[in-house]
Each structure stands twice: as structure tokens, then as C-alpha cells.
Amino acid sequence: METTMPMPVLFVGHGSPMNAIEDNEWSRGFLRIAAMLPKPRAVLSISAHWFLPGTFTTGNEHPQTIHDFGGFPRPLYEMQYPAPGDPALARRVAALLASANAAVRTDWGLDHGTWTVLKYLFPDAACPVVQLSVDQRGAPSTHLALGRALAPLRHEGVLILGSGNVTHNLRYAMTSLQTGDTSRPPWAESFDRDVASALEQHDGDALARFVDTDAGRKSHPTPDHYYPVLYVAGAASASDGVRFPVEGFDLGSLSMRSAIYG
């Protein structure tokens, strides 16, 4: 299913699940992104919240909306994103990632890293969606390589979406919420700036190294929210320009940067 123009590749800083039900700076940013996108045949979402040993795709015909969080208002748990699945795409992605022993599973669905963003990008939930897990055992360079292996999907009408955050030290963010001190720590500011520069320069090797720097370890005590950046950088072409439709920090240290290639 070849298309003439490749689909963009998108990374979204998804932030709090509350963005799904609030009118705020970030939800309005997601709407700006929606206006920049062509209509895809399907979406492949690499969400920080399916982080486990192994590389898997969701093969469900009708993936469930997963409310994988706690302590939020009832309306958030009542939200549904009833997008169809695409078992054929799930098998296609698994074949592209055969080097990682990728397999199709039906015991997962669309977690909040996916649906809280897609509800703004494609509010009618008509576009098929497949999720790809992030293997917690893989080195950063491995995730970058898997992203490169996904690049052919761009010519098959598939929007590759990475969902995480460029910085994600949740303990620091929650402390800021409790104390009211939302000043931006230098490590978050420098890490966000360096990632943006590397994305602009298509420097995947630098992106793969950053998480093991001092600023990287402070920005990501665990790397789950960073690795989706690597898939997006890997799937991008060297000829793609990059735009940052959303920038800024929530709770002082949580980078909400989004990036779109192509």
C-alpha cells in the first residue's frame, strides 16, 4: 500500500492524563498539532506506558481504552476512545521488527499515552490504531534502530506517533506541585534544549547517548518516557524538516515539547 508522499512522524509530550479533559495550554497545543496533520490510513503509537520486557504489537480488532492511572476525577475514567484496531498492521509491524523477536498480542489496548493525545488529533476515533510496546531491556541505540526499521510505514499511510515526555522526573514534578515552586531546574532546561538541537540536526547517536548523561539521569530516573523520542528520530528521514508545535514546561520540570518531522 504505497503512497506518494510519506506521512509525518510525530512525537508528543503527553503530560498529565488531566489534559484529556481540561482546556489548558497543552490540550490547545494538541489541537494545533491536529491541524498540521494529513489524514492517515492508520496510527502506530509507541507509548511510554507499555514498557515491559519484549517487543509487541496490539492485534485487537477493537482495542480497549485503558485507564492506567489512579487518583483522578471520575470523568477521566469514564472517557472512552473506541478506535478500531488493525490486526494486519500489527502483523506488518511485527514483521518489520523481526530482529527484536516482535510478536502480536491481544491482552493490551490503548493506554493513556495514546488515547489522551489521539482524542485531540482524531476526535472521531475512526482511524485504526495499533500500539507498539517499548522493550525495557533494550539499549537506547536498539530503540533508535527499531525506529529506523519502521520508516517504510510512512509510505503506507501510517502515522508513527511517539508519546512520552522529553523530561520526566515525576518525583520532582510532584514536589513542585506540593510546594508551589515551579521554577525550572537547570538540568531539565539543558536536557530539553539539547534534545531539540539533536532532533533538528538528525543526530540520532547523540539522542541515544543523552539519557546516560547526568542531566539525562535527572530528567529520566527511568527511561520509559524518553525512548519514544528515539523511535520517532529513527523513523525520520535526513531530508525531513522538524517543527516544535508545542514547547514549554509543566510543573516546572516536565517538558511538554512535541516534534513533527515531515
Side-chain angles (χ1 to χ4, degrees):
M1 190 175 291
E2 293 276 320
T3 59
T4 303
M5 295 294 294
M7 289 296 298
V9 189
L10 175 64
F11 174 80
V12 174
H14 64 249
S16 168
M18 288 298 292
N19 294 328
I21 59 173
E22 291 183 342
D23 175 18
N24 59 29
E25 178 180 358
W26 315 121
S27 60
R28 291 190 293 272
F30 299 156
L31 289 172
R32 287 199 302 275
I33 295 171
M36 301 169 68
L37 296 174
K39 184 178 180 179
R41 176 181 71 82
V43 175
L44 175 68
S45 176
I46 303 102
S47 166
H49 293 278
W50 199 16
F51 187 64
L52 76 173
T55 301
F56 305 104
T57 59
T58 54
N60 322 52
E61 291 274 3
H62 302 286
Q64 64 175 313
T65 302
I66 300 175
H67 301 87
D68 52 329
F69 40 70
F72 289 93
R74 184 175 181 85
L76 193 57
Y77 297 93
E78 294 173 345
M79 290 201 65
Q80 294 291 313
Y81 189 77
D86 189 334
L89 176 59
R91 294 190 296 270
R92 167 74 170 138
V93 173
L96 288 171
L97 304 185
S99 64
N101 297 313
V104 178
R105 289 172 55 165
T106 57
D107 58 347
W108 195 246
L110 307 182
D111 60 49
H112 82 269
T114 294
W115 65 262
T116 63
V117 173
L118 291 184
K119 77 169 290 283
Y120 291 104
L121 302 189
F122 308 108
D124 62 2
C127 185
V129 183
V130 170
Q131 271 203 210
L132 172 65
S133 72
V134 179
D135 188 347
Q136 63 189 206
R137 305 167 302 181
S141 58
T142 300
H143 296 291
L144 184 68
L146 294 179
R148 289 173 177 148
L150 295 173
L153 296 175
R154 298 181 62 191
H155 295 274
E156 299 170 19
V158 178
L159 174 67
I160 298 171
L161 165 67
S163 180
N165 286 98
V166 169
T167 61
H168 191 263
N169 186 323
L170 207 53
R171 177 176 293 181
Y172 191 97
M174 290 300 99
T175 299
S176 296
L177 181 64
Q178 293 163 5
T179 64
D181 179 9
T182 57
S183 57
R184 194 172 304 166
W187 49 264
E189 195 164 48
S190 66
F191 190 80
D192 178 69
R193 182 178 59 248
D194 289 346
V195 168
S197 178
L199 289 170
E200 289 175 324
Q201 298 171 31
H202 293 272
D203 193 344
D205 291 339
L207 290 167
R209 292 195 304 270
F210 284 163
V211 75
D212 290 323
T213 64
D214 181 62
R217 286 185 287 272
K218 289 177 179 175
S219 296
H220 294 281
T222 59
D224 44 303
H225 277 66
Y226 182 68
Y227 284 165
V229 175
L230 301 179
Y231 285 83
V232 168
S237 165
S239 61
D240 286 325
V242 66
R243 294 165 286 173
F244 301 115
V246 180
E247 299 179 70
F249 289 79
D250 196 13
L251 300 175
S253 65
L254 186 66
S255 171
M256 294 295 291
R257 181 180 297 278
S258 293
I260 182 169
Y261 282 108

